[in-house]
């Protein structure tokens, strides 16, 4: 393979001879599959079952990105992140979920939405798929503010120039996967065909089919 010819992820499923769900939580669970390998051998694969997530790179008219800082207990860090949330309504249009997360976490609305990048967050250990949207035309939301609690009660907010975020990602100062993917994707789009070439907000998402 040379260049970009044929450079595409493809859906494929190896035979599963046995499966078990040893644990199920409120939103996610753990599945254990016995998978047949191409050489005929079998192997057990344990992974998190996840409904999927959305994240929003909200870009204001001054080229700044709206980010928030939140404590994440599994990694024992406070991370700068994009507004994001779980797709916990089956079949929901991801952009509807993204609008809701932007409103609930930042009390912000956006007039223009596009798909920025789609990722599998940790494909060796989870089936979580994430769609990161680009949102522009920002304004303060209307209506009753969402009441925060738990970790969200400690959120910090900032608007940071895109170039500063790119530098912080490259220097190893920022680690959240959605933020890293979104920031670098937007920088690449700006250096390439431009934002106008990004996919529309309702672009198909085979990893998480939805009812448009």
């Amino acid at each position: 393979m040379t260049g970009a010819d044929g450079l595409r992820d493809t859906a494929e499923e190896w035979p599963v001879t046995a499966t078990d769900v040893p644990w199920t939580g409120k939103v996610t669970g753990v599945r254990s599959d016995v998978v047949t390998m191409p050489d005929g051998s079998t192997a057990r694969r344990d992974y998190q079952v996840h409904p999927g997530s959305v994240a929003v790179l909200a870009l204001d008219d001054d080229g700044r990105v709206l980010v928030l800082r939140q404590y994440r207990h599994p990694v024992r860090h406070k991370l700068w992140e994009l507004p994001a949330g779980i797709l916990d309504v089956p079949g929901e249009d991801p952009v509807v979920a993204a609008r809701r997360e932007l409103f609930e976490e930042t009390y912000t609305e956006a007039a223009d939405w596009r798909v920025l990048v789609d990722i599998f967050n940790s494909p060796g250990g989870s089936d979580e798929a994430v769609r990161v949207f680009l949102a522009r035309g920002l304004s303060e939301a209307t209506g009753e503010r969402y009441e925060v609690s738990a970790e969200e009660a400690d959120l910090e907010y900032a608007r940071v120039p895109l170039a500063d975020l790119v530098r912080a990602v490259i220097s190893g100062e920022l680690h959240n996967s959605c933020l890293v993917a979104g920031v670098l994707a937007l920088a690449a789009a700006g250096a390439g065909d431009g934002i106008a070439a990004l996919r529309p907000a309702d672009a198909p998402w085979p990893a998480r089919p939805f009812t448009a």
Side-chain angles (χ1 to χ4, degrees):
M1 181 187 302
T2 59
D5 295 340
L7 194 63
R8 180 187 299 271
D9 293 334
T10 56
E12 184 171 338
E13 186 170 355
W14 293 355
V16 175
T17 59
T19 189
D20 183 37
V21 182
W23 180 83
T24 300
K26 182 179 179 180
V27 177
T28 68
V30 173
R31 178 171 292 160
S32 182
D33 292 340
V34 177
V35 184
T36 302
M37 303 288 124
D39 64 0
S41 64
T42 60
R44 183 174 297 276
R45 293 290 180 261
D46 303 324
Y47 57 99
Q48 180 192 38
V49 179
H50 196 288
S53 304
V54 291
V56 184
L57 194 156
L59 185 70
D60 69 16
D61 292 340
D62 295 320
R64 300 175 302 172
V65 177
L66 179 57
V67 293
L68 50 91
R69 191 170 182 239
Q70 184 171 1
Y71 176 66
R72 294 301 189 182
H73 184 72
V75 295
R76 273 57 169 189
H77 271 70
K78 271 193 169 183
L79 300 177
W80 285 104
E81 304 180 349
L82 303 178
I86 294 174
L87 290 168
D88 50 6
V89 179
E92 184 179 34
D93 188 332
V95 75
V96 173
R99 289 181 185 275
R100 182 175 59 249
E101 294 301 329
L102 185 63
F103 171 83
E104 291 182 354
E105 294 194 353
T106 70
Y107 200 62
T108 301
E109 295 177 346
D112 181 74
W113 290 81
R114 299 170 191 268
V115 175
L116 186 54
V117 65
D118 294 330
I119 60 176
F120 287 117
N121 205 28
S122 181
S126 173
D127 69 353
E128 181 185 8
V130 184
R131 169 157 281 188
V132 183
F133 289 93
L134 172 65
R136 297 185 300 166
L138 307 185
S139 61
E140 183 174 331
T142 57
E144 186 176 353
R145 295 190 72 121
Y146 178 74
E147 185 175 348
V148 298
S149 60
E151 293 97 335
E152 292 182 348
D154 190 46
L155 291 179
E156 302 172 48
Y157 299 91
R159 294 194 180 209
V160 183
L162 177 64
D164 291 350
L165 291 173
V166 170
R167 282 191 290 270
V169 167
I170 298 302
S171 65
E173 300 299 323
L174 299 175
H175 307 90
N176 176 268
S177 60
C178 294
L179 184 145
V180 170
V183 163
L184 297 184
L186 181 57
D193 296 330
I195 290 175
L198 293 175
R199 288 169 290 164
D202 61 353
W205 189 16
R208 288 294 182 270
F210 59 93
T211 303

